[in-house]
Amino acid sequence: SKSPHASSLACALIAHHATSLADTLASELGILSKSHPVLIISGKKVPPGTNGGVTLMGTGYSALGGLIIGLGAAILDTISGLHVQPFAYVMFGTMCGILGSFLDSILGATLQVTYFDK
């Protein structure tokens, strides 16, 4: 009596956590990049820390965050006795991390308000 929605829920959980870790790593570690970030919607150079600014290094950290979550899910499911396809788990986590982080950057560039203190 397996739930028909179990796989969808598991994918949603992996996608959520992959996006969260990817965005956190991109934001916190991507700011250390030596290259100037570019605005994701225009490609123009922006100061570090700008909402919607992305760097190649930050994107790499997004991929790493998703990879960590995908790998962790594969390991936990294997320990639990489930049959897993580790490559699929890792690729799914990685892609969710990158896409989720890019979506967050697009929302940050278009909808997020930035205030400056004088």
Side-chain angles (χ1 to χ4, degrees), residues 37-74:
V38 295
L39 197 60
I40 194 166
I41 58 172
S42 69
K44 294 181 181 179
K45 287 185 179 181
V46 293
T50 301
N51 295 329
V54 296
T55 62
L56 185 59
M57 183 177 181
T59 302
Y61 282 121
S62 290
L64 178 63
L67 183 144
I68 290 169
I69 296 299
L71 184 61

Side-chain angles (χ1 to χ4, degrees), residues 29-97:
L29 299 176
I31 201 165
L32 302 174
S33 177
K34 302 286 187 214
S35 64
H36 270 86
V38 295
L39 197 60
I40 194 166
I41 58 172
S42 69
K44 294 181 181 179
K45 287 185 179 181
V46 293
T50 301
N51 295 329
V54 296
T55 62
L56 185 59
M57 183 177 181
T59 302
Y61 282 121
S62 290
L64 178 63
L67 183 144
I68 290 169
I69 296 299
L71 184 61
I75 291 169
L76 290 174
D77 280 357
T78 299
I79 291 170
S80 298
L82 297 174
H83 172 73
V84 300
Q85 297 175 335
F87 183 75
Y89 274 59
V90 170
M91 287 306 299
F92 181 73
T94 302
M95 294 310 299
C96 287

Side-chain angles (χ1 to χ4, degrees), residues 1 58 87 104 110:
S1 67
F87 183 75
D104 183 77
T110 57

